[in-house]
Amino acid sequence: MARYQFSDHAELRAVSHIDMDCFYVQVEQRRNPELKGKPTAVVQYNPWKGGGLIAVGYEARARGVKKQMRGDDAREHCPDINLVTVPTAHGKADLTIYREAGAEVVSILSRKGRCERASIDEVYLDLTEAAKERMAHVPTNRDDLHAEAQKSHVLGVTPNVSDASSWLVSRTEYSEQLLAAAALIVAELREAVRMEARFSCSAGVAHNKMLAKLASNMHKPAQQTLVPLAAVPGLFEELPLKKLRQLGGKLGASLENQLGLNTAGDLMRVPLERLQDMHGKNVGMWLFRISRGLDDDPVNDRVLPKSHGCSKTFPGRNALADLPAVRHWVRQLALELDQRLETDAEQNGRFARLLVASVSYHTEPTLASPHGVSKSCPIAYGVDRITADAFGLVRRVLSDCQAFYVTSMGLSATNLQATPEKTASITTFLRKVPGKQSAASDGGAPTGSETTDRGEGETALDEEGNGGLRGQVAADEKEGTAQIEGERGGGSGEYAETSTGGEARRKTEVGARKVKRQRSPLRDWLAAASGPRPASKVISTGGSEGKGKGLEREVLAGTATQSDALKAEGRAASEPAECGRTGADDPALQSEELRGDEIDGQHALEGVSCVERGPDSTVGEECEDVQLTLEEWIGDRGGTDSRSAAADPEHASCEGRGRTSENEKGAASSAEVAGVTAEPTGLSDLAKSGHADRLDLGGELGEGNVAIEDRNNGEEKADSGFEWKGALAETATARQVRNRVEAPKSLEALWQKAAVPKTDVQSERTVEDQAGASREGRRSTQSKTRKRSLDGHVADAKEKLQKLWSKAPSAKDETGPAEVGSGITYEFDWQEVDQSTLDELPLAIQAEIRAAQRLQMQRQQPKAAKKLEKAQHAQSIKPFFQRKSR
DNA sequence: TACTCGGTCACT
DNA sequence: CAGTGACCG
């Protein structure tokens, strides 16, 4: 036992868990003050039995209303209850207002120490440092205690205000002093929340997360509870096992059932070996420790969610039974998800990398428990892309079914990243500063960095797509009819290998990279729009600060002609009955070669269209706006070097609605040239101000981003469940701008990103045949088929693009100061830049500068680097809060 | 025929 | 790593 006791003050933490009191209700009461003091509950829209309660106010709780009730039940218990319905959007509940309120609270609670957002209405704080500082100033007089602090409860001390206050001011034990000081800080924070956000919350204060969480729930609402170490044994003796975090479910049940345990104290008496035998080494040890009130789980420094998801259930006979309905709802979910992603990008500079679609379904109406499956793919921003990709994923799931009943669907965007993974891009260009020696370039080219390697382009592959119109069938929710809407998606690819040079060449270039620059009206405009430059030295790039709200532009490729394959797509979508069939009745679906041929056919490579949509684009709002030929698009980008010219707006003739938008010069002007460049779309602000260096905005489409290492691991990848549909919706570059993802690292990877997930198209064989065949056998057959198809595309695409590139006039490149992307040139000494200058920079640039600084320090003082990282992290979230708390 | 709609984490 | 499942509220 002794070894588990705190022996060193340095290990002792002061942790708080803060939990908003019936948060959704408070949010609604703040919105509508008439509800204050009245029995209130928030119900989620759901006509069945009055909707489900997701929050119940304390007045209503006093009247017996419980969270598990439906709205109707609540009314029975409390006839005068105010039932507030959660806002809805896109046909589903929309929790945005609660998320925003939660962020508001977090911005207040994160002031005094490391803060971890645990959920929409809960945070953990590590107040160790703040408490230590505060310990010197703990009032010795009870009258000096803050009013909120006087309401503290101290476990093991008579729950009497004055006693608690006495306790707070009279500690002699270090651990208790620490908690007492933390409790005062927490009281102040809670008071700040009450005053500034007008929300009440409850808190627990203890030495770790588990105890703090336990404590926050002990006295609600608007109170706080402190759990001194000494109180643990007494507390646990009576505490039901299930109250411990993580033991509320099956694990807790199994402990109860198999070991006959009831309380946490019971658990404490189970030998470690027994626990480990039953639940494994890790879980066993974890149980052993938590039963003693010990918990090492750190308070993470994270105030933003790690993923965004939205989902909807279709219970009972609401289950979706055909693809049009599925697609409709996928789109509704995509609308919300896209909005949230854009908001996150604008506010926090973060971009998701992965799209996950989850489906719960059964295959017979009678089947009891639904089957849950999730599939994922790289995410491309934009409602249409999300819709198309997610629908592909979902359809992949359902394609094996003769019939399906989807009872729930969800989309989520994960792998949110705020900063480039590697510092390659900035270190690369920092090295270029004339007369300045960059530490980052010493220590050799970060050869381990794929990002850097990629930038040097062993094989530069540029790609653009031509899509086709795919018939999209969207069920009209109200009328129950279906309507066709055009959707650009898919699109066939075209490739050029514009640069070769293997390992040797790359290595030399890493050391002495030259970045060519070309003047272009876009560049000029961005530069002009960006306003005066700060004073000078180094170069970074970012782009205009100009607001681009309003119309968004997407560079999408498309043909006006529907290929047979695309028609087939439409058919598949509109005729769900086909799901699960082999497509034998449709030649277009019979083999992948066939599909490939069609898609690669003449008509598939005709145009690049510039599509615009409003920020709140809804079904049917998109319109095809501009058509450019591929040649026009490629236009002035000539040269065979991968890092050649920028797109030339002269060659881009955008016409149509977009031109006459009500937007001011920003949108209009950039739109003019944007159709063919990587003009940021819905993420305009951020794209312009942020990741330009990585993503190569505003020209230089051949630049590093699109260079791809030709690591050919095709065989393997080709078997991973994707099929080539030959349709790229947009250029790799444009897509990266939207995605903020690194270029695919292999040719195969590139295709996979472009590919639509495997659909119901399988082989000529019938379902019966397949049922008889072994899975392995079938898969390998498919793999071969797919591989042949891909090879055909490679050859074709390369040839075509090479032709185009050779036709294009070569660019007049200036070799100027290293610049990647276009837009503002920020000039400063990155090694000595002061905080206020740094603060002015776009978030992404800030992040890269910090990363570069860290990298440098890492070499010089590895230990200090860790500290710096922490400090920087705290710094990096500041803008978010500054914005939020305004 | 119904605990929604979010989230996080660990395992494999 | 993609996918599943446990757990939380």
Side-chain angles (χ1 to χ4, degrees), chain A residues 44 48 92 99 306-307 309 313 317 340:
Chain A
Q44 216 148 231
W48 191 67
K92 59 180 289 300
R99 270 185 215 103
K306 288 177 152 182
S307 66
T313 54
R317 65 164 20 87
R340 285 166 60 188

mmCIF file of all heavy atoms in Angstrom, chain A residues 44 48 92 99 306-307 309 313 317 340, chain B residues 1-9 11:
data_model
loop_
_atom_site.group_PDB
_atom_site.id
_atom_site.type_symbol
_atom_site.label_atom_id
_atom_site.label_comp_id
_atom_site.label_asym_id
_atom_site.label_seq_id
_atom_site.Cartn_x
_atom_site.Cartn_y
_atom_site.Cartn_z
ATOM 1 N N GLN A 44 -35.789 16.647 -27.390
ATOM 2 C CA GLN A 44 -35.297 16.553 -28.739
ATOM 3 C C GLN A 44 -36.476 16.285 -29.648
ATOM 4 O O GLN A 44 -37.302 15.419 -29.351
ATOM 5 C CB GLN A 44 -34.290 15.425 -28.826
ATOM 6 C CG GLN A 44 -33.162 15.722 -29.757
ATOM 7 C CD GLN A 44 -31.902 15.057 -29.289
ATOM 8 O OE1 GLN A 44 -30.869 15.695 -29.177
ATOM 9 N NE2 GLN A 44 -31.978 13.792 -28.985
ATOM 10 N N TRP A 48 -42.586 11.171 -31.496
ATOM 11 C CA TRP A 48 -43.056 10.005 -30.755
ATOM 12 C C TRP A 48 -43.116 10.271 -29.249
ATOM 13 O O TRP A 48 -42.114 10.555 -28.624
ATOM 14 C CB TRP A 48 -42.132 8.818 -31.037
ATOM 15 C CG TRP A 48 -42.655 7.520 -30.537
ATOM 16 C CD1 TRP A 48 -43.752 6.851 -30.976
ATOM 17 C CD2 TRP A 48 -42.083 6.740 -29.502
ATOM 18 N NE1 TRP A 48 -43.900 5.689 -30.265
ATOM 19 C CE2 TRP A 48 -42.890 5.592 -29.360
ATOM 20 C CE3 TRP A 48 -40.967 6.901 -28.671
ATOM 21 C CZ2 TRP A 48 -42.618 4.599 -28.426
ATOM 22 C CZ3 TRP A 48 -40.689 5.922 -27.750
ATOM 23 C CH2 TRP A 48 -41.525 4.773 -27.637
ATOM 24 N N LYS A 92 -33.019 17.526 -38.674
ATOM 25 C CA LYS A 92 -32.544 16.821 -37.499
ATOM 26 C C LYS A 92 -32.199 17.807 -36.391
ATOM 27 O O LYS A 92 -32.083 19.003 -36.640
ATOM 28 C CB LYS A 92 -31.313 15.986 -37.841
ATOM 29 C CG LYS A 92 -30.172 16.817 -38.381
ATOM 30 C CD LYS A 92 -28.970 15.956 -38.717
ATOM 31 C CE LYS A 92 -28.298 15.432 -37.472
ATOM 32 N NZ LYS A 92 -27.815 16.511 -36.595
ATOM 33 N N ARG A 99 -23.271 23.818 -28.114
ATOM 34 C CA ARG A 99 -21.820 23.753 -28.309
ATOM 35 C C ARG A 99 -21.201 25.115 -28.110
ATOM 36 O O ARG A 99 -20.161 25.271 -27.492
ATOM 37 C CB ARG A 99 -21.499 23.264 -29.728
ATOM 38 C CG ARG A 99 -21.368 21.781 -29.819
ATOM 39 C CD ARG A 99 -20.939 21.344 -31.219
ATOM 40 N NE ARG A 99 -21.580 20.090 -31.516
ATOM 41 C CZ ARG A 99 -22.627 19.944 -32.309
ATOM 42 N NH1 ARG A 99 -23.137 20.990 -32.930
ATOM 43 N NH2 ARG A 99 -23.160 18.768 -32.474
ATOM 44 N N LYS A 306 -12.235 16.695 -30.526
ATOM 45 C CA LYS A 306 -11.323 16.020 -31.437
ATOM 46 C C LYS A 306 -11.996 15.575 -32.723
ATOM 47 O O LYS A 306 -11.333 15.114 -33.639
ATOM 48 C CB LYS A 306 -10.761 14.767 -30.756
ATOM 49 C CG LYS A 306 -9.776 15.060 -29.657
ATOM 50 C CD LYS A 306 -9.355 13.755 -29.034
ATOM 51 C CE LYS A 306 -7.966 13.868 -28.456
ATOM 52 N NZ LYS A 306 -7.534 12.586 -27.894
ATOM 53 N N SER A 307 -13.285 15.636 -32.735
ATOM 54 C CA SER A 307 -13.992 15.229 -33.949
ATOM 55 C C SER A 307 -15.340 15.926 -33.996
ATOM 56 O O SER A 307 -15.808 16.454 -32.986
ATOM 57 C CB SER A 307 -14.184 13.713 -33.960
ATOM 58 O OG SER A 307 -15.037 13.315 -32.924
ATOM 59 N N GLY A 309 -19.229 15.179 -35.290
ATOM 60 C CA GLY A 309 -20.085 14.140 -35.832
ATOM 61 C C GLY A 309 -21.528 14.577 -35.842
ATOM 62 O O GLY A 309 -21.938 15.438 -35.054
ATOM 63 N N THR A 313 -31.242 8.979 -36.045
ATOM 64 C CA THR A 313 -31.807 7.630 -35.971
ATOM 65 C C THR A 313 -33.128 7.596 -36.728
ATOM 66 O O THR A 313 -33.843 8.596 -36.839
ATOM 67 C CB THR A 313 -32.062 7.212 -34.520
ATOM 68 O OG1 THR A 313 -32.861 8.193 -33.892
ATOM 69 C CG2 THR A 313 -30.768 7.057 -33.773
ATOM 70 N N ARG A 317 -40.461 1.998 -37.898
ATOM 71 C CA ARG A 317 -40.855 2.010 -39.304
ATOM 72 C C ARG A 317 -40.341 3.242 -40.033
ATOM 73 O O ARG A 317 -40.571 3.417 -41.220
ATOM 74 C CB ARG A 317 -42.369 1.853 -39.464
ATOM 75 C CG ARG A 317 -43.215 2.958 -38.918
ATOM 76 C CD ARG A 317 -44.665 2.919 -39.456
ATOM 77 N NE ARG A 317 -45.126 1.654 -40.008
ATOM 78 C CZ ARG A 317 -45.680 0.665 -39.307
ATOM 79 N NH1 ARG A 317 -45.816 0.792 -38.025
ATOM 80 N NH2 ARG A 317 -46.086 -0.425 -39.900
ATOM 81 N N ARG A 340 -20.147 22.747 -39.801
ATOM 82 C CA ARG A 340 -19.344 22.708 -38.578
ATOM 83 C C ARG A 340 -17.861 22.656 -38.887
ATOM 84 O O ARG A 340 -17.045 23.235 -38.175
ATOM 85 C CB ARG A 340 -19.779 21.521 -37.719
ATOM 86 C CG ARG A 340 -21.108 21.795 -37.024
ATOM 87 C CD ARG A 340 -21.735 20.571 -36.452
ATOM 88 N NE ARG A 340 -20.904 19.921 -35.459
ATOM 89 C CZ ARG A 340 -21.169 18.751 -34.923
ATOM 90 N NH1 ARG A 340 -22.255 18.091 -35.284
ATOM 91 N NH2 ARG A 340 -20.372 18.229 -34.031
ATOM 92 P P DT B 1 -41.798 -5.175 -33.641
ATOM 93 O OP1 DT B 1 -40.848 -6.051 -34.306
ATOM 94 O OP2 DT B 1 -42.187 -5.418 -32.271
ATOM 95 O "O5'" DT B 1 -41.365 -3.634 -33.739
ATOM 96 C "C5'" DT B 1 -40.222 -3.223 -34.449
ATOM 97 C "C4'" DT B 1 -39.851 -1.839 -33.971
ATOM 98 O "O4'" DT B 1 -40.654 -0.855 -34.688
ATOM 99 C "C3'" DT B 1 -40.135 -1.584 -32.488
ATOM 100 O "O3'" DT B 1 -39.136 -0.707 -31.994
ATOM 101 C "C2'" DT B 1 -41.436 -0.844 -32.490
ATOM 102 C "C1'" DT B 1 -41.274 0.007 -33.736
ATOM 103 N N1 DT B 1 -42.544 0.464 -34.330
ATOM 104 C C2 DT B 1 -42.672 1.797 -34.654
ATOM 105 O O2 DT B 1 -41.789 2.606 -34.466
ATOM 106 N N3 DT B 1 -43.886 2.131 -35.195
ATOM 107 C C4 DT B 1 -44.962 1.287 -35.446
ATOM 108 O O4 DT B 1 -45.999 1.709 -35.920
ATOM 109 C C5 DT B 1 -44.757 -0.093 -35.086
ATOM 110 C C7 DT B 1 -45.847 -1.103 -35.301
ATOM 111 C C6 DT B 1 -43.564 -0.441 -34.556
ATOM 112 P P DA B 2 -37.733 -1.193 -31.785
ATOM 113 O OP1 DA B 2 -37.038 -1.488 -33.020
ATOM 114 O OP2 DA B 2 -37.907 -2.217 -30.727
ATOM 115 O "O5'" DA B 2 -37.057 0.089 -31.150
ATOM 116 C "C5'" DA B 2 -37.379 0.482 -29.885
ATOM 117 C "C4'" DA B 2 -36.924 1.886 -29.635
ATOM 118 O "O4'" DA B 2 -37.352 2.752 -30.707
ATOM 119 C "C3'" DA B 2 -37.550 2.438 -28.360
ATOM 120 O "O3'" DA B 2 -36.592 3.265 -27.717
ATOM 121 C "C2'" DA B 2 -38.720 3.265 -28.868
ATOM 122 C "C1'" DA B 2 -38.163 3.782 -30.191
ATOM 123 N N9 DA B 2 -39.231 4.005 -31.167
ATOM 124 C C8 DA B 2 -40.095 3.085 -31.682
ATOM 125 N N7 DA B 2 -40.935 3.577 -32.552
ATOM 126 C C5 DA B 2 -40.592 4.913 -32.615
ATOM 127 C C6 DA B 2 -41.109 5.988 -33.354
ATOM 128 N N6 DA B 2 -42.110 5.855 -34.215
ATOM 129 N N1 DA B 2 -40.535 7.199 -33.178
ATOM 130 C C2 DA B 2 -39.520 7.324 -32.318
ATOM 131 N N3 DA B 2 -38.953 6.396 -31.576
ATOM 132 C C4 DA B 2 -39.542 5.196 -31.775
ATOM 133 P P DC B 3 -35.932 2.725 -26.462
ATOM 134 O OP1 DC B 3 -35.119 1.583 -26.826
ATOM 135 O OP2 DC B 3 -36.972 2.549 -25.407
ATOM 136 O "O5'" DC B 3 -34.999 3.944 -26.048
ATOM 137 C "C5'" DC B 3 -35.565 5.160 -25.573
ATOM 138 C "C4'" DC B 3 -34.722 6.311 -26.032
ATOM 139 O "O4'" DC B 3 -33.959 6.800 -24.914
ATOM 140 C "C3'" DC B 3 -33.729 5.885 -27.099
ATOM 141 O "O3'" DC B 3 -33.536 6.985 -27.973
ATOM 142 C "C2'" DC B 3 -32.458 5.586 -26.310
ATOM 143 C "C1'" DC B 3 -32.588 6.505 -25.099
ATOM 144 N N1 DC B 3 -32.089 5.831 -23.871
ATOM 145 C C2 DC B 3 -31.273 6.539 -22.988
ATOM 146 O O2 DC B 3 -30.990 7.719 -23.268
ATOM 147 N N3 DC B 3 -30.811 5.900 -21.892
ATOM 148 C C4 DC B 3 -31.143 4.629 -21.651
ATOM 149 N N4 DC B 3 -30.672 4.052 -20.566
ATOM 150 C C5 DC B 3 -31.975 3.899 -22.535
ATOM 151 C C6 DC B 3 -32.424 4.532 -23.621
ATOM 152 P P DT B 4 -33.002 6.696 -29.386
ATOM 153 O OP1 DT B 4 -34.076 6.111 -30.202
ATOM 154 O OP2 DT B 4 -31.701 6.007 -29.332
ATOM 155 O "O5'" DT B 4 -32.732 8.184 -29.887
ATOM 156 C "C5'" DT B 4 -33.795 9.141 -29.837
ATOM 157 C "C4'" DT B 4 -33.180 10.494 -30.111
ATOM 158 O "O4'" DT B 4 -32.455 10.937 -28.948
ATOM 159 C "C3'" DT B 4 -32.168 10.455 -31.251
ATOM 160 O "O3'" DT B 4 -32.259 11.679 -31.956
ATOM 161 C "C2'" DT B 4 -30.841 10.301 -30.542
ATOM 162 C "C1'" DT B 4 -31.077 11.094 -29.263
ATOM 163 N N1 DT B 4 -30.304 10.645 -28.080
ATOM 164 C C2 DT B 4 -29.796 11.601 -27.231
ATOM 165 O O2 DT B 4 -29.946 12.802 -27.408
ATOM 166 N N3 DT B 4 -29.103 11.100 -26.169
ATOM 167 C C4 DT B 4 -28.876 9.773 -25.862
ATOM 168 O O4 DT B 4 -28.243 9.467 -24.874
ATOM 169 C C5 DT B 4 -29.441 8.824 -26.782
ATOM 170 C C7 DT B 4 -29.258 7.346 -26.544
ATOM 171 C C6 DT B 4 -30.127 9.302 -27.830
ATOM 172 P P DC B 5 -31.360 11.821 -33.243
ATOM 173 O OP1 DC B 5 -32.002 12.828 -34.101
ATOM 174 O OP2 DC B 5 -31.059 10.484 -33.758
ATOM 175 O "O5'" DC B 5 -30.021 12.463 -32.651
ATOM 176 C "C5'" DC B 5 -30.108 13.686 -31.948
ATOM 177 C "C4'" DC B 5 -28.750 14.066 -31.444
ATOM 178 O "O4'" DC B 5 -28.365 13.168 -30.377
ATOM 179 C "C3'" DC B 5 -27.642 13.954 -32.510
ATOM 180 O "O3'" DC B 5 -26.793 15.074 -32.389
ATOM 181 C "C2'" DC B 5 -26.948 12.654 -32.124
ATOM 182 C "C1'" DC B 5 -27.049 12.728 -30.606
ATOM 183 N N1 DC B 5 -26.831 11.468 -29.859
ATOM 184 C C2 DC B 5 -26.348 11.530 -28.540
ATOM 185 O O2 DC B 5 -26.139 12.642 -28.054
ATOM 186 N N3 DC B 5 -26.133 10.386 -27.867
ATOM 187 C C4 DC B 5 -26.374 9.210 -28.446
ATOM 188 N N4 DC B 5 -26.139 8.113 -27.727
ATOM 189 C C5 DC B 5 -26.872 9.117 -29.785
ATOM 190 C C6 DC B 5 -27.098 10.264 -30.447
ATOM 191 P P DG B 6 -25.880 15.382 -33.572
ATOM 192 O OP1 DG B 6 -25.217 16.641 -33.227
ATOM 193 O OP2 DG B 6 -26.619 15.259 -34.819
ATOM 194 O "O5'" DG B 6 -24.843 14.166 -33.511
ATOM 195 C "C5'" DG B 6 -23.523 14.350 -33.051
ATOM 196 C "C4'" DG B 6 -23.501 14.701 -31.584
ATOM 197 O "O4'" DG B 6 -24.150 13.667 -30.825
ATOM 198 C "C3'" DG B 6 -22.100 14.783 -31.024
ATOM 199 O "O3'" DG B 6 -21.640 16.093 -31.197
ATOM 200 C "C2'" DG B 6 -22.286 14.455 -29.544
ATOM 201 C "C1'" DG B 6 -23.532 13.555 -29.552
ATOM 202 N N9 DG B 6 -23.272 12.131 -29.338
ATOM 203 C C8 DG B 6 -23.402 11.147 -30.296
ATOM 204 N N7 DG B 6 -23.155 9.955 -29.819
ATOM 205 C C5 DG B 6 -22.850 10.171 -28.493
ATOM 206 C C6 DG B 6 -22.493 9.246 -27.473
ATOM 207 O O6 DG B 6 -22.390 8.021 -27.560
ATOM 208 N N1 DG B 6 -22.259 9.884 -26.268
ATOM 209 C C2 DG B 6 -22.342 11.240 -26.060
ATOM 210 N N2 DG B 6 -22.083 11.665 -24.834
ATOM 211 N N3 DG B 6 -22.686 12.102 -26.985
ATOM 212 C C4 DG B 6 -22.923 11.503 -28.179
ATOM 213 P P DG B 7 -20.138 16.282 -31.543
ATOM 214 O OP1 DG B 7 -19.942 17.713 -31.688
ATOM 215 O OP2 DG B 7 -19.828 15.356 -32.625
ATOM 216 O "O5'" DG B 7 -19.386 15.800 -30.232
ATOM 217 C "C5'" DG B 7 -18.260 14.966 -30.352
ATOM 218 C "C4'" DG B 7 -17.977 14.426 -28.987
ATOM 219 O "O4'" DG B 7 -19.028 13.507 -28.616
ATOM 220 C "C3'" DG B 7 -16.698 13.602 -28.922
ATOM 221 O "O3'" DG B 7 -15.649 14.459 -28.522
ATOM 222 C "C2'" DG B 7 -16.972 12.595 -27.837
ATOM 223 C "C1'" DG B 7 -18.492 12.511 -27.784
ATOM 224 N N9 DG B 7 -18.983 11.229 -28.251
ATOM 225 C C8 DG B 7 -19.600 10.929 -29.438
ATOM 226 N N7 DG B 7 -19.911 9.663 -29.537
ATOM 227 C C5 DG B 7 -19.481 9.099 -28.348
ATOM 228 C C6 DG B 7 -19.545 7.766 -27.883
ATOM 229 O O6 DG B 7 -20.009 6.782 -28.439
ATOM 230 N N1 DG B 7 -18.975 7.639 -26.617
ATOM 231 C C2 DG B 7 -18.423 8.657 -25.903
ATOM 232 N N2 DG B 7 -17.931 8.356 -24.716
ATOM 233 N N3 DG B 7 -18.363 9.905 -26.326
ATOM 234 C C4 DG B 7 -18.910 10.055 -27.552
ATOM 235 P P DT B 8 -14.217 14.043 -28.901
ATOM 236 O OP1 DT B 8 -13.367 15.216 -28.634
ATOM 237 O OP2 DT B 8 -14.215 13.379 -30.207
ATOM 238 O "O5'" DT B 8 -13.888 12.910 -27.813
ATOM 239 C "C5'" DT B 8 -13.905 13.246 -26.430
ATOM 240 C "C4'" DT B 8 -13.424 12.044 -25.652
ATOM 241 O "O4'" DT B 8 -14.414 10.995 -25.776
ATOM 242 C "C3'" DT B 8 -12.124 11.476 -26.204
ATOM 243 O "O3'" DT B 8 -11.196 11.264 -25.161
ATOM 244 C "C2'" DT B 8 -12.507 10.189 -26.861
ATOM 245 C "C1'" DT B 8 -13.771 9.784 -26.122
ATOM 246 N N1 DT B 8 -14.647 9.007 -27.013
ATOM 247 C C2 DT B 8 -14.981 7.724 -26.662
ATOM 248 O O2 DT B 8 -14.608 7.203 -25.627
ATOM 249 N N3 DT B 8 -15.770 7.070 -27.560
ATOM 250 C C4 DT B 8 -16.238 7.561 -28.767
ATOM 251 O O4 DT B 8 -16.934 6.875 -29.497
ATOM 252 C C5 DT B 8 -15.848 8.924 -29.076
ATOM 253 C C7 DT B 8 -16.295 9.552 -30.358
ATOM 254 C C6 DT B 8 -15.089 9.573 -28.200
ATOM 255 P P DC B 9 -9.723 10.884 -25.581
ATOM 256 O OP1 DC B 9 -8.850 11.572 -24.619
ATOM 257 O OP2 DC B 9 -9.528 11.022 -27.041
ATOM 258 O "O5'" DC B 9 -9.707 9.328 -25.274
ATOM 259 C "C5'" DC B 9 -10.126 8.851 -24.012
ATOM 260 C "C4'" DC B 9 -10.192 7.344 -24.039
ATOM 261 O "O4'" DC B 9 -11.295 6.944 -24.890
ATOM 262 C "C3'" DC B 9 -8.936 6.695 -24.633
ATOM 263 O "O3'" DC B 9 -8.453 5.718 -23.733
ATOM 264 C "C2'" DC B 9 -9.403 6.083 -25.931
ATOM 265 C "C1'" DC B 9 -10.887 5.856 -25.687
ATOM 266 N N1 DC B 9 -11.669 5.887 -26.940
ATOM 267 C C2 DC B 9 -12.500 4.804 -27.243
ATOM 268 O O2 DC B 9 -12.564 3.859 -26.449
ATOM 269 N N3 DC B 9 -13.189 4.824 -28.404
ATOM 270 C C4 DC B 9 -13.084 5.868 -29.230
ATOM 271 N N4 DC B 9 -13.786 5.850 -30.353
ATOM 272 C C5 DC B 9 -12.246 6.988 -28.932
ATOM 273 C C6 DC B 9 -11.558 6.959 -27.784
ATOM 274 P P DC B 11 -6.244 -1.415 -24.196
ATOM 275 O OP1 DC B 11 -6.018 -2.168 -22.959
ATOM 276 O OP2 DC B 11 -5.137 -0.663 -24.846
ATOM 277 O "O5'" DC B 11 -6.888 -2.376 -25.289
ATOM 278 C "C5'" DC B 11 -8.204 -2.873 -25.068
ATOM 279 C "C4'" DC B 11 -8.657 -3.647 -26.295
ATOM 280 O "O4'" DC B 11 -9.073 -2.729 -27.327
ATOM 281 C "C3'" DC B 11 -7.563 -4.528 -26.910
ATOM 282 O "O3'" DC B 11 -8.138 -5.772 -27.232
ATOM 283 C "C2'" DC B 11 -7.143 -3.742 -28.154
ATOM 284 C "C1'" DC B 11 -8.455 -3.079 -28.549
ATOM 285 N N1 DC B 11 -8.319 -1.830 -29.345
ATOM 286 C C2 DC B 11 -9.119 -1.671 -30.490
ATOM 287 O O2 DC B 11 -9.909 -2.580 -30.797
ATOM 288 N N3 DC B 11 -9.000 -0.532 -31.213
ATOM 289 C C4 DC B 11 -8.149 0.415 -30.824
ATOM 290 N N4 DC B 11 -8.072 1.523 -31.571
ATOM 291 C C5 DC B 11 -7.331 0.277 -29.673
ATOM 292 C C6 DC B 11 -7.442 -0.855 -28.965
#
